[in-house]
Amino acid sequence: MTTTAVPAALAWRADPYTAALRSGRGPLFLHRRDGWLLPLEVERWCAAPDPADLTVLRRCRGAVLDIGCGPGRLVVALAALGTAALGVDVSPEAVRRTQRSGGSALCRSVFDPLPGEGRWHTALLLDGNIGIGGDPAALLERAAQLVGSDGQLLVEAAPFDVDEHVEVRVADGRGAFGTGFPWSRLGTAALLKYAHATGWRAAERWTAAGRPFVALRRR
């Protein structure tokens, strides 16, 4: 596990994130040191895939690894379609919820040893998960180790031009905070910059319900 993965793992194991997943409801935020709050869409994550998610699922091929799967809506949907899919998440509650819903998931960091390294056909980084670890280049390099040479990485970018690397905490907006950890937010332009620098190329770009996505392939 990388050093940046350690504080993140501790943060996502603590309340108020765990409490929000148990109830399936927010409010929940990423809280920056200057007081800025980014709302987290707990209700959407705990629901069935929405139309924007379906555009991603239609592009999945072969065995799928969902990095930062959360409560597992995509893993469960893929399993229902007969697709081999595995979620990984540092939150034990997220993994339990995925498993209870019929999906397969492991409680691990993406930077831990994982099954099938180098053989996954599709990997997912959705719902802001390009921010995991606060180092997009390291995350993209790790994703390249996980997928096969002909594999793909489907990534969701922020819906505006941003390239931000900060420390945040999970907060419930009512005074409860988790442990601080590094996080990044990337718009499409910044995502493509980091992708190019780490040996990926953009194979496709699309937007659904205001959410921008990029399909990356190895160069």
Side-chain angles (χ1 to χ4, degrees), residues 12-147:
W12 295 105
R13 288 170 184 262
D15 289 341
Y17 182 65
T18 297
L21 287 190
R22 284 176 179 162
S23 67
R25 301 190 302 273
L28 197 68
F29 306 89
L30 290 184
H31 177 274
R32 206 166 56 190
R33 285 183 173 181
D34 62 3
W36 174 90
L37 295 173
L38 175 68
L40 299 178
E41 299 181 85
V42 178
E43 291 86 352
R44 181 172 66 79
W45 299 346
C46 291
D50 64 17
D53 294 329
L54 295 178
T55 69
V56 175
L57 296 179
R58 286 196 293 268
R59 288 168 168 83
C60 291
R61 54 184 180 82
V64 179
L65 180 67
D66 187 358
I67 300 168
C69 66
R73 71 189 190 282
L74 300 176
V75 174
V76 172
L78 287 165
L81 294 171
T83 299
L86 175 69
V88 294
D89 203 289
V90 296
S91 163
E93 183 60 30
V95 169
R96 284 192 291 268
R97 186 160 182 146
T98 300
Q99 293 171 340
R100 287 196 301 266
S101 300
S104 296
L106 294 176
C107 190
R108 295 185 193 176
S109 163
V110 64
F111 296 104
D112 288 338
L114 294 174
E117 294 200 15
R119 299 194 300 274
W120 293 97
H121 299 96
T122 301
L124 306 179
L125 281 169
L126 305 183
D127 302 324
N129 285 336
I130 187 61
I132 290 173
D135 185 343
L139 182 58
L140 289 167
E141 288 170 353
R142 175 59 175 148
Q145 297 171 352
L146 296 171
V147 302

